[in-house]
Every structure is written in structure tokens, then in C-alpha cells.
Amino acid sequence: GYIHKHHHTQKAPSRANEDAINVHPIEYVLGEYNHLWSLYLCCHIFEMKIHAACILAFLVIGGVLAGWNHTRYDIVFSIFGLTLYDSKAHDVHHRIPQSNYGQYTMFWDHVFGTFRSYDPNDRINPKAQLDP
């Protein structure tokens, strides 16, 4: 609620990582440490061996995808007709915060019924959102 609400002041984010990290300080710290916590679990709890280059790639790819989620670009990655990533899915989340919670993939939104498809006719002028 309150902490994430700051991030949703823009209904149509367009400045990539500048908008992606435009969050409450508590959310920023918890969000970043969530990535590090998942790596800790994999390496120490599940005793997986992960190369340092893979850890770096994981963090960089996460940052790039988060940035694309906050642009006006239509970027989609699909395999065999299954959409793995769609930058516009997060766009819907900014307009309708009770939907499309997934940052990179909408798998769990499909499972729990919170997925909403992107409607290209429902565009918001991003320039009007820069200074609400």
C-alpha cells in the first residue's frame, strides 16, 4: 500500500531506470536485497554453485528488464508461443495497480487471476505524467 504507492505516481512511466528506481527508500532496499537473498538461498541453503559471472548477469538482466518495464517500448520475449516477458504487462500494473504484479514474468498473475492484458487503445500520454 503506502510504501509502493509512491512508485505509482506516474501512470505511464517513460524514463526507464529513472522511473524503475523511483520508489520509497524502504522498497528500494528491500527490493535490492530480495535479489541478493535469492542468490544466498541458492548458494548456501540449496548448495548450488553459481559462477560470479552468472550472478552479475542475473543482476544486470534484472536491471535492464526493470528499465524496459518503465519505457514506451513494446518489447516481448516469447518461446513456442509462450510469452516470457512483455514490457507492456507492467504498464497495465501502473494503470491498474491491483493487476500484473510480476516484475519480469506474468506466470503467477495467470495462476492467481490477477493478469490483465494490455489494451493498446488505452494509452496514457507519458509527457503529461512527468510532472503530475
Side-chain angles (χ1 to χ4, degrees), residues 91-105:
D91 225 34
V92 175
H93 175 71
H94 273 267
R95 289 184 223 155
I96 307 166
Q98 296 78 21
S99 64
N100 298 10
Y101 294 102
Q103 175 76 352
Y104 311 119
T105 180

Side-chain angles (χ1 to χ4, degrees), residues 5 16 18 21 30-31 43-44 67 74 76 83 90 98 101 118 128:
K5 189 175 185 178
E18 188 174 335
I21 63 169
L30 292 176
C43 294
H44 293 281
D74 295 324
V76 179
T83 300
H90 192 74
Q98 296 78 21
Y101 294 102
Y118 175 76

Side-chain angles (χ1 to χ4, degrees), residues 3-132:
I3 290 176
H4 189 64
K5 189 175 185 178
H6 170 78
H7 181 69
H8 284 269
T9 55
Q10 289 190 317
K11 302 295 181 213
S14 59
R15 300 175 296 181
N17 283 339
E18 188 174 335
D19 287 333
I21 63 169
N22 181 21
V23 295
H24 191 282
I26 293 172
E27 182 177 9
Y28 183 81
V29 170
L30 292 176
E32 291 307 309
Y33 278 97
N34 193 34
H35 289 92
L36 299 175
W37 175 246
S38 64
L39 291 168
Y40 174 83
L41 288 176
C42 289
C43 294
H44 293 281
I45 304 301
F46 298 116
E47 298 181 3
M48 298 170 65
K49 295 187 187 296
I50 301 176
H51 194 278
C54 289
I55 292 172
L56 181 61
F58 171 71
L59 296 173
V60 168
I61 290 169
V64 168
L65 294 178
W68 284 343
N69 278 345
H70 297 87
T71 65
R72 307 305 329 138
Y73 298 115
D74 295 324
I75 301 169
V76 179
F77 296 125
S78 297
I79 296 177
F80 305 118
L82 177 67
T83 300
L84 300 177
Y85 172 84
D86 184 348
S87 62
K88 292 302 174 194
H90 192 74
D91 225 34
V92 175
H93 175 71
H94 273 267
R95 289 184 223 155
I96 307 166
Q98 296 78 21
S99 64
N100 298 10
Y101 294 102
Q103 175 76 352
Y104 311 119
T105 180
M106 295 295 119
F107 173 77
W108 292 110
D109 289 290
H110 283 287
V111 170
F112 291 107
T114 55
F115 177 76
R116 288 196 179 200
S117 296
Y118 175 76
D119 180 0
N121 298 318
D122 186 27
R123 293 189 81 94
I124 295 174
N125 182 0
K127 291 182 181 179
Q129 296 296 318
L130 293 177
D131 296 307

